Amino acid sequence: MKPGPPARPGRGPKPGPAARRPAPAVQFVAAPAGDALERADGTVDHLLESGRRPGDVLVLTVGEPHPWQQHELSFGEARYWAQLTEGDDVFYADAALNRPAGREVVVLVVNDTSADRAGLAFQQALGRAGALLVVCGEAGLVGAPDAPESRPALA
C-alpha cells in the first residue's frame, strides 16, 4: 500500500455556519408584560445613544405589535417590508416573522404571558441576532428563570 500525500497544515473539515459565527450575547431587562414595550423603547434609545446605527436594530414583539410597527403598516405592506430590505432604520415586527431578517442587535419584547410563544420567539430571536439579543420582559417566560436583570447599558 502506497502512503498518501502528507497532510497539509491548517487543512481539515470546513466549519459549518454555526462554527463560524459566535453566539450573540444575551441580556435581560426585567419587566412585567405590560411594561415590556416601554422598557424596550428605553433600550432602543440607549442603543442608539451609545452609537449603534438604527439599521443595526430589529425589535420583535411576542404579543401586541409595537405602535411604530402599526404606524409603518398604515403606509402599506410593500412600503413596510421595503424598510426591512433597505436596513436604514430600526425595524419593528412580530416575533413570528416568517421572512429572513437578522440584525446585529435584536430586542425581543415579551409583552405576552404565553410561555410557549415566548420560548419559541426567544429561540428564533437568538438566531436572528448577530452580536446581541436583549430580552425585555419576564426571563422565566423564555426559559431563563435565573437570568439577572440588566440595565440597558448595551454596547
Side-chain angles (χ1 to χ4, degrees):
M1 181 171 182
K2 273 177 125 175
R8 293 185 189 169
R11 291 282 208 175
K14 291 185 178 180
R20 284 186 228 142
R21 185 180 132 216
V26 179
Q27 294 186 0
F28 293 87
V29 177
D35 295 336
L37 273 173
E38 184 178 329
R39 294 296 300 268
D41 286 344
T43 298
V44 169
D45 288 345
H46 187 76
L47 286 164
L48 299 176
E49 290 166 2
S50 67
R52 290 280 183 182
R53 289 181 333 98
D56 289 344
V57 181
L58 173 64
V59 178
L60 301 172
T61 54
V62 175
E64 290 293 315
H66 191 283
W68 193 251
Q69 176 187 358
Q70 293 173 1
H71 169 76
E72 292 300 323
L73 278 167
S74 72
F75 297 107
E77 290 270 336
R79 180 68 202 124
Y80 171 73
W81 291 113
Q83 289 180 5
L84 175 62
T85 305
E86 292 164 2
D88 295 331
D89 206 353
V90 176
F91 190 78
Y92 296 84
D94 186 284
L97 179 68
N98 60 3
R99 292 178 183 238
R103 299 262 174 111
E104 276 301 297
V105 179
V106 174
V107 177
L108 180 64
V109 184
V110 185
N111 58 337
D112 186 294
T113 57
S114 167
D116 288 343
R117 184 155 188 230
L120 178 60
F122 175 75
Q123 292 304 317
Q124 291 171 335
L126 199 55
R128 294 179 186 280
L132 177 63
L133 170 60
V134 182
V135 180
C136 297
E138 296 180 37
L141 288 174
V142 298
D146 298 325
E149 178 179 350
S150 164
R151 295 282 174 232
L154 314 164

